[in-house]
Amino acid sequence: MAALKSVNRMYGVCFHAARQAAGLKASRLVQHRTFKISSAQLQQPFDSSLEKPQFPGASAEFVDNLEFIQPNVISGIPIYRVMDRQGNIINPSQDPQLSKETVLNFYQKMTLLNTMDRILYESQRQGRISFYMTNYGEEGTHIGSASALDPNDLVFGQYREAGVLMYRGFPLDLFMAQCYANADDLGKGRQMPVHYGCRDLNFVTISSPLATQIPQAVGAAYAFKRQNMNRAVICYFGEGAASEGDAHAGFNFSATLECPLIFFCRNNGYAISTPTNEQYRGDGIAARGPGYGMLSIRVDGNDVFAVYNATKEARRRAVAENQPFLIEAMTYRIGHHSTSDDSSAYRSVDEVNYWDKQDHPISRLRHYMTARGWWSEDDERSWRKQSRKTVMEAFEKAEKRLKPNPELLFTDVYDQMIPSLSKQREAFWRHVQQYKEHYPVDLYEK
């Protein structure tokens, strides 16, 4: 019996010590926890005497009438803008007060992108490159958002954000090298055209599968938060990509993990040939934000100042408060989806002409500059001539450049080439030598 009492006493001491250790460990975990928990998220103490819902999954009240929530309970989200279509500032308090040099840089980048698009689109039509996607009509979303970011912020693009990379300093020579897949291409000729990327400019290489960049961006933003780096991530996508499961997973993870992330949706009216009225039934993409616990805003994507203001404020708060933001930029895709598409099959010429002639982001900014005496017809002619010359020089240089060394087909996957890959390499060269009349190896770097 004495032995039994001794065992019980020892068990009690050990149990008490274990509970103290567990309590200390839990206390330390709480002290080191990096997640911010708002008061709204804290579960209230349970009181069975109160006739209020105690479910941990929602904050609500009981009702005694049967009523389904209408889909338009959140509808008609307003569109924030700073300039009207004639370039006039509507509310002076919203004028970002950018310098003349900054505004001119905006305009020149937007028009340079437009010029590059026209030349590369025509080069594809002539069979010089295999594929291309223009950015016509969406230049304001690129430049307005890119200019509001810190250079150290990480960018995940979809495939229509060339202006973001251009604003960050990506040279025309490298745009051309990528589209031509020549020896100067940073991607070593492995990607199809317009799939740009640049480590030095914090622009993650674009991949074709739709919406894959969204959960990847969440992971990067979560890493920045854990490392307390004061960096943000911006993730671009279209309204069509927002229908992918990756988008919903990314929205939810970013909100629950409280990541410094800006979701930037370019709602340009069409997902290839699918119009928005067939893409979703709710009020666009911004309406989805509250459902995931995200702050959201809808902006006029053809107003570069509205895009700039919204992105700048979202970036500031995302880093300061560790939370995601959703920006829906309303714009219009004036060009075809890509060189593989003929948009005349699903929309009228009059519709396209309206946006091209009446509500174009480049025209709106030019009106703003002209009214201030910052830009004239002579300036326009001179710049258009100069920018076309610059683009053509890069174009001609890229076209003459050799293709990457074929050996690069087998590198950058393994640290050391594995036996199966070595066999593939040997088989490749045997095939090329056997049928060398079909493989112009002289066009490739040795």
Side-chain angles (χ1 to χ4, degrees):
M1 181 64 71
L4 180 61
K5 288 181 179 178
S6 177
V7 169
N8 285 337
R9 194 161 48 247
M10 185 177 298
Y11 174 79
V13 170
C14 292
F15 180 72
H16 180 68
R19 289 192 62 182
Q20 282 187 321
L24 180 60
K25 183 178 181 181
S27 175
R28 287 173 178 170
L29 284 172
V30 169
Q31 291 173 6
H32 288 84
R33 191 177 180 207
T34 58
F35 303 111
K36 175 177 65 62
I37 304 178
S38 68
S39 58
Q41 291 174 303
L42 293 173
Q43 187 177 349
Q44 298 300 316
F46 181 78
D47 186 347
S48 60
S49 65
L50 297 176
E51 271 298 310
K52 292 184 178 180
Q54 301 293 336
F55 308 111
S59 175
E61 297 291 335
F62 283 124
V63 295
D64 56 12
N65 60 305
L66 177 64
E67 182 180 2
F68 290 97
I69 302 299
Q70 296 296 320
N72 61 352
V73 65
I74 298 178
S75 64
I77 294 176
I79 302 173
Y80 169 70
R81 67 174 182 169
V82 175
M83 289 187 290
D84 63 20
R85 292 171 184 169
Q86 288 71 46
N88 301 311
I89 299 294
I90 299 167
N91 181 352
S93 69
Q94 296 300 306
D95 187 343
Q97 301 291 338
L98 299 174
S99 67
K100 175 182 177 181
E101 291 72 22
T102 300
V103 175
L104 288 177
N105 185 37
F106 281 13
Y107 185 76
Q108 289 176 342
K109 289 292 190 296
M110 290 164 71
T111 49
L112 183 63
L113 175 63
N114 189 272
T115 300
M116 183 181 79
D117 275 348
R118 294 182 187 281
I119 290 172
L120 285 174
Y121 181 85
E122 290 303 320
S123 73
Q124 193 282 332
R125 286 296 187 243
Q126 295 166 11
R128 294 179 168 187
I129 60 175
S130 61
F131 178 82
Y132 195 69
M133 302 180 79
T134 65
N135 305 275
Y136 301 148
E138 301 183 48
E139 296 90 348
T141 64
H142 299 190
I143 304 306
S145 59
S147 59
L149 300 172
D150 187 276
N152 288 323
D153 293 337
L154 191 61
V155 178
F156 284 81
Q158 185 163 302
Y159 42 58
R160 210 184 301 277
E161 287 84 27
V164 177
L165 194 50
M166 181 178 285
Y167 189 87
R168 288 196 159 200
F170 200 65
L172 285 172
D173 285 344
L174 289 181
F175 277 113
M176 298 295 174
Q178 199 283 325
C179 288
Y180 270 93
N182 67 28
D184 295 329
D185 175 24
L186 298 180
K188 302 180 181 179
R190 295 166 177 154
Q191 278 272 32
M192 63 188 293
V194 307
H195 289 57
Y196 310 110
C198 183
R199 183 194 298 267
D200 292 342
L201 298 177
N202 295 304
F203 192 100
V204 178
T205 302
I206 294 166
S207 56
S208 284
L210 208 58
T212 55
Q213 76 276 16
I214 297 178
Q216 295 166 5
V218 177
Y222 183 58
F224 287 171
K225 171 189 171 179
R226 292 293 300 266
Q227 295 169 356
N228 195 26
M229 298 182 71
N230 289 320
R231 294 174 68 186
V233 175
I234 187 167
C235 180
Y236 294 90
F237 56 96
E239 82 286 347
S243 294
E244 293 283 343
D246 281 347
H248 300 280
F251 294 163
N252 194 49
F253 270 113
S254 68
T256 56
L257 296 176
E258 298 175 326
C259 302
L261 173 61
I262 302 168
F263 291 110
F264 194 101
C265 176
R266 297 173 292 92
N267 191 334
N268 63 18
Y270 292 90
I272 307 182
S273 60
T274 304
T276 53
N277 66 335
E278 296 179 18
Q279 187 68 239
Y280 51 74
R281 283 292 180 269
D283 183 25
I285 309 304
R288 301 179 191 179
Y292 288 102
M294 286 193 293
L295 291 170
S296 305
I297 190 171
R298 175 175 287 157
V299 304
D300 183 347
N302 292 346
D303 178 351
V304 68
F305 293 160
V307 175
Y308 171 83
N309 285 351
T311 309
K312 183 178 181 181
E313 179 64 8
R315 195 267 171 200
R316 182 189 69 81
R317 293 187 59 182
V319 172
E321 302 168 14
N322 276 329
Q323 63 173 320
F325 285 76
L326 173 59
I327 298 175
E328 181 183 22
M330 310 304 293
T331 183
Y332 189 82
R333 193 197 78 210
I334 292 174
H336 305 295
H337 172 73
S338 71
T339 49
S340 303
D341 174 47
D342 179 8
S343 63
S344 65
Y346 53 84
R347 60 182 183 177
S348 69
V349 174
D350 290 340
E351 176 183 322
V352 176
N353 284 340
Y354 167 78
W355 292 99
D356 191 22
K357 306 299 182 186
Q358 301 297 322
D359 196 8
H360 199 290
I362 291 177
S363 300
R364 192 182 300 194
L365 186 58
R366 184 180 174 186
H367 289 320
Y368 174 88
M369 296 190 303
T370 301
R372 281 156 181 72
W374 293 354
W375 200 252
S376 66
E377 287 293 336
D378 289 341
D379 292 327
E380 182 72 14
R381 282 191 294 269
S382 175
W383 167 246
R384 291 287 183 173
K385 182 178 179 181
Q386 177 189 338
S387 60
R388 180 173 176 79
K389 180 176 181 290
T390 304
V391 173
M392 285 303 300
E393 287 174 351
F395 172 82
E396 292 168 0
K397 177 182 175 182
E399 197 166 42
K400 295 174 182 176
R401 191 76 170 87
L402 292 175
K403 299 295 183 183
N405 189 323
E407 284 285 344
L408 295 173
L409 283 168
F410 307 98
T411 60
D412 297 332
V413 176
Y414 299 99
D415 180 42
Q416 295 181 354
M417 191 173 295
I418 60 175
S420 61
L421 195 58
S422 294
K423 291 179 181 179
Q424 291 178 38
R425 177 176 172 271
E426 292 167 6
F428 167 79
W429 283 114
R430 282 198 305 270
H431 177 83
V432 170
Q433 290 301 317
Q434 185 176 355
Y435 301 100
K436 54 187 175 183
E437 67 274 14
H438 299 291
Y439 296 97
V441 292
D442 290 342
L443 299 180
Y444 292 78
E445 280 199 332
K446 301 292 188 294

